[in-house]
PDB file of all heavy atoms in Angstrom:
ATOM      1  N   MET A  45      21.084  36.811 -30.157  1.00 95.00           N
ATOM      2  CA  MET A  45      21.480  36.815 -28.804  1.00 95.00           C
ATOM      3  C   MET A  45      21.329  35.583 -28.137  1.00 95.00           C
ATOM      4  O   MET A  45      22.077  35.107 -27.327  1.00 95.00           O
ATOM      5  CB  MET A  45      20.656  37.983 -27.949  1.00 95.00           C
ATOM      6  CG  MET A  45      21.210  39.349 -28.219  1.00 95.00           C
ATOM      7  SD  MET A  45      20.102  40.355 -27.132  1.00 95.00           S
ATOM      8  CE  MET A  45      21.084  41.875 -27.225  1.00 95.00           C
ATOM      9  N   ASN A 120      41.441  36.298 -15.472  1.00 96.00           N
ATOM     10  CA  ASN A 120      41.907  35.095 -14.909  1.00 96.00           C
ATOM     11  C   ASN A 120      41.777  35.180 -13.387  1.00 96.00           C
ATOM     12  O   ASN A 120      42.044  34.136 -12.743  1.00 96.00           O
ATOM     13  CB  ASN A 120      43.298  34.844 -15.315  1.00 96.00           C
ATOM     14  CG  ASN A 120      43.407  34.626 -16.808  1.00 96.00           C
ATOM     15  OD1 ASN A 120      42.714  33.917 -17.450  1.00 96.00           O
ATOM     16  ND2 ASN A 120      44.388  35.343 -17.494  1.00 96.00           N
ATOM     17  N   ASP A 127      40.011  45.704  -9.387  1.00 96.00           N
ATOM     18  CA  ASP A 127      40.864  46.920  -9.825  1.00 96.00           C
ATOM     19  C   ASP A 127      40.057  47.739 -10.852  1.00 96.00           C
ATOM     20  O   ASP A 127      40.138  48.906 -10.867  1.00 96.00           O
ATOM     21  CB  ASP A 127      42.223  46.425 -10.367  1.00 96.00           C
ATOM     22  CG  ASP A 127      43.160  45.857  -9.313  1.00 96.00           C
ATOM     23  OD1 ASP A 127      42.787  46.025  -8.124  1.00 96.00           O
ATOM     24  OD2 ASP A 127      44.060  45.240  -9.663  1.00 96.00           O
ATOM     25  N   THR A 146      16.239  59.503   2.718  1.00 78.00           N
ATOM     26  CA  THR A 146      15.291  60.641   2.975  1.00 78.00           C
ATOM     27  C   THR A 146      15.943  61.362   4.218  1.00 78.00           C
ATOM     28  O   THR A 146      16.833  61.018   4.828  1.00 78.00           O
ATOM     29  CB  THR A 146      13.901  60.106   3.240  1.00 78.00           C
ATOM     30  OG1 THR A 146      13.923  59.385   4.469  1.00 78.00           O
ATOM     31  CG2 THR A 146      13.274  59.325   2.175  1.00 78.00           C
TER      32      THR A 146
END
Side-chain angles (χ1 to χ4, degrees):
M45 279 185 169
N120 296 314
D127 291 346
T146 62

